[in-house]
Amino acid sequence: MTFINSAYHYYLSAYANSATSRYDTHKRSELRNVCNNILKINKESPLYKIRNNRQVPSFLIDVKENARQIKNVVSSLSDSGEGLANAFQKKVAVSSDENIVRAAYIGDGIDEGVSSSFDIEVRRLAAPQSNLGNFLNSQDLDFEPGDHSFDLLTTTNSFEFQYTVKPDDTNRSVQEKLSRLFNTAGVGLTAEIISDEKNRSAIKLTSKQTGLSENESALFMINPKASEDSIDAMELLGIHHITSPAQNSSFIYNGTAHSAYTNTVTLGNMFELTLQGISPEDTPTQIGFKTSIDAVADNLQKLVDSYNKFIETGERYADQRQGSRLLHDLRGISFSHRYDLESIGMMVEENGSITIDKDQLAEAVDTKAKNEVFSILDSFKSSLSAKANHASIDPIQYVDKTIVTYKRPGQNFPSPYHSSLYSGMMLDHIC
């Protein structure tokens, strides 16, 4: 199980905190199509062994995650249903002060009556609840050795926590033990140890949720069990006292006051705003749209960035055959479109990556026939999408492996239980 463990550890450390988008959800028919494609590839695939290379799991995860990012960008440019020209000119929201408010346009680009700009003034940011415990001398032991317990009550659930204090523990070790317990329990809280200049330490608990409804007094409460030892231990810890209550965000939108539980708000299913800071007095932030050419460049930059990141992934593994194969395939896309891309300001570098000359792109959009420009972009997008789909379904194609035997052509059945291998995750040292 060594390779499996390393694969999941790498995924959690590298991608677990990556933001997801609405394009990461799929219809049942789309998932069925992915499964059928995997089985189709498996049906005629020869039997092989993968070389014992500890970089294989991380390589496969990188391939699949980069392919997913490209597919999401392509999907974002293809969901308006009004053709590629409209997709690349999809509206891009802009904020006059991103330190106060960040804006993203999430409409379909064809909305009638969308305001070209509006003002927003942030009065207060949404905040989580925090409980800061008592500061205790780190090297002493003030707790009574033995078993202790307490209840954690949240707005939706209740949990019982149990912990043991040993005679050789210290206040600090007990606090660290409880912090690990909170952080691994998955109860919507994060715990950290705070130290002061007197070598004392305390537990700080913070809710992952922000905001508070009118009928709630707290996002979480901690109550010791009825035993005297548990009550005394909780009094020592002090984590049952609320030091900073949760609060809602407050903002003024076009002269009208609003509030929300979080700092990310959606207005009219068209704008997603992320509140970043408090507005100066009588200085609202203006939200509007970028110009047409800026919108084209921004949307195109997202596609180019996802492609360049895939190139960088191949270069990280370039000293191995698997990285060379991936680079060969990826560079083939930009090199095959090089003449057309550079004619509209998308400059192909020697390593296959692409940079955008915004001035030349603007000139091409203004002087060339728009159908010609967007035909070039459409061809590049389609090639990139096809390669991302293929790499996502069959990342094993790039891995160095030894063929054991070939199947008899045309007389095979699907092998559904081999699908785990093609997911790029289930690898063991016996490979």
Side-chain angles (χ1 to χ4, degrees):
M1 298 292 289
T2 305
F3 271 29
I4 297 176
N5 290 337
S6 64
Y8 281 108
H9 181 269
Y10 177 76
Y11 176 79
L12 291 173
S13 62
Y15 296 104
N17 293 325
S18 299
T20 58
S21 73
R22 59 192 176 108
Y23 304 106
D24 287 310
T25 59
H26 302 280
K27 299 176 182 177
R28 184 180 300 177
S29 59
E30 293 172 326
L31 297 175
R32 186 184 297 114
N33 184 55
V34 171
C35 183
N36 288 338
N37 285 334
I38 293 175
L39 296 180
K40 183 179 179 180
I41 292 172
N42 242 353
K43 184 177 179 182
E44 303 296 338
S45 175
L47 177 65
Y48 54 78
K49 288 185 177 180
I50 299 174
R51 301 287 176 85
N52 192 358
N53 185 336
R54 292 189 174 275
Q55 284 194 318
V56 166
S58 58
F59 172 76
L60 293 173
I61 292 171
D62 286 339
V63 169
K64 290 182 69 66
E65 285 298 310
N66 278 273
R68 179 180 70 87
Q69 182 61 33
I70 288 176
K71 290 166 64 178
N72 285 351
V73 173
V74 169
S75 296
S76 72
L77 294 174
S78 307
D79 63 357
S80 66
E82 293 294 316
L84 187 72
N86 279 6
F88 276 107
Q89 294 182 90
K90 188 177 180 181
K91 292 182 174 71
V92 175
V94 61
S95 168
S96 62
D97 189 346
E98 293 205 340
N99 292 323
I100 302 299
V101 182
R102 285 193 290 111
Y105 180 67
I106 58 173
D108 58 14
I110 56 175
D111 307 280
E112 295 292 337
V114 177
S115 174
S116 59
S117 65
F118 60 87
D119 292 337
I120 181 168
E121 188 174 345
V122 182
R123 292 292 182 86
R124 184 179 64 230
L125 294 178
Q129 175 183 329
S130 293
N131 289 20
L132 179 61
N134 298 321
F135 282 92
L136 306 175
N137 290 324
S138 297
Q139 301 306 316
D140 296 341
L141 179 61
D142 296 322
F143 298 91
E144 187 70 27
D147 296 328
H148 306 285
S149 58
F150 59 87
D151 291 327
L152 169 67
L153 306 178
T154 69
T155 56
T156 56
N157 287 296
S158 62
F159 306 90
E160 181 180 357
F161 284 79
Q162 298 177 347
Y163 63 102
T164 300
V165 177
K166 299 179 180 179
D168 59 346
D169 272 327
T170 63
N171 291 333
R172 177 80 181 210
S173 68
V174 172
Q175 291 169 333
E176 289 175 344
K177 187 184 304 183
L178 284 171
S179 293
R180 288 193 297 271
L181 193 60
F182 279 113
N183 287 329
T184 58
V187 293
L189 301 181
T190 58
E192 60 179 323
I193 304 295
I194 305 296
S195 299
D196 66 6
E197 66 282 354
K198 297 180 180 179
N199 194 31
R200 299 183 305 173
S201 55
I203 298 177
K204 182 180 181 181
L205 300 177
T206 306
S207 65
K208 294 182 180 179
Q209 182 181 340
T210 59
L212 203 61
S213 67
E214 292 181 356
N215 58 350
E216 293 173 341
S217 58
L219 291 180
F220 66 91
M221 293 185 293
I222 296 177
N223 299 317
K225 290 295 187 179
S227 69
E228 183 177 349
D229 286 347
S230 293
I231 295 173
D232 291 342
M234 185 56 62
E235 288 298 327
L236 275 171
L237 285 168
I239 57 175
H240 56 312
H241 296 303
I242 299 175
T243 53
S244 179
Q247 63 181 17
N248 299 336
S249 61
S250 175
F251 58 95
I252 298 176
Y253 164 55
N254 275 351
T256 304
H258 297 267
S259 66
Y261 295 140
T262 69
N263 289 315
T264 300
V265 296
T266 301
L267 299 180
N269 293 322
M270 291 180 287
F271 290 95
E272 183 179 86
L273 305 180
T274 302
L275 311 182
Q276 302 276 95
I278 306 300
S279 300
E281 188 68 26
D282 297 324
T283 309
T285 301
Q286 188 174 67
I287 307 298
F289 292 118
K290 291 192 174 182
T291 62
S292 179
I293 186 58
D294 285 332
V296 173
D298 271 29
N299 287 308
L300 187 55
Q301 189 67 56
K302 293 177 185 177
L303 188 64
V304 167
D305 285 346
S306 63
Y307 170 72
N308 289 344
K309 187 177 179 182
F310 215 164
I311 290 282
E312 291 174 5
T313 295
E315 289 177 336
R316 286 208 309 273
Y317 300 92
D319 58 336
Q320 303 175 45
R321 189 179 301 180
Q322 58 201 30
S324 299
R325 290 172 180 168
L326 178 62
L327 277 176
H328 179 271
D329 272 12
L330 293 174
R331 288 169 176 169
I333 298 173
S334 57
F335 288 156
S336 63
H337 294 274
R338 186 170 198 164
Y339 176 80
D340 288 334
L341 291 176
E342 292 189 344
S343 71
I344 61 171
M346 296 176 64
M347 316 311 293
V348 179
E349 307 297 332
E350 290 305 313
N351 68 342
S353 62
I354 297 174
T355 58
I356 298 177
D357 185 329
K358 188 174 176 180
D359 292 335
Q360 189 172 341
L361 176 63
E363 182 181 352
V365 172
D366 288 338
T367 59
K368 287 178 176 285
K370 282 194 175 182
N371 289 341
E372 179 184 350
V373 174
F374 291 114
S375 176
I376 293 171
L377 296 178
D378 188 24
S379 179
F380 171 69
K381 179 177 74 75
S382 297
S383 297
L384 189 54
S385 176
K387 182 57 62 181
N389 282 323
H390 192 48
S392 176
I393 290 173
D394 185 16
I396 302 291
Q397 65 182 299
Y398 300 111
V399 175
D400 194 15
K401 48 191 177 287
T402 300
I403 303 297
V404 176
T405 183
Y406 287 95
K407 296 178 182 177
R408 182 178 297 179
Q411 301 185 28
N412 302 300
F413 296 97
S415 305
Y417 298 107
H418 289 177
S419 297
S420 59
L421 182 63
Y422 282 91
S423 73
M425 297 292 288
M426 307 302 290
L427 293 172
D428 206 349
H429 68 278
I430 61 173
C431 295

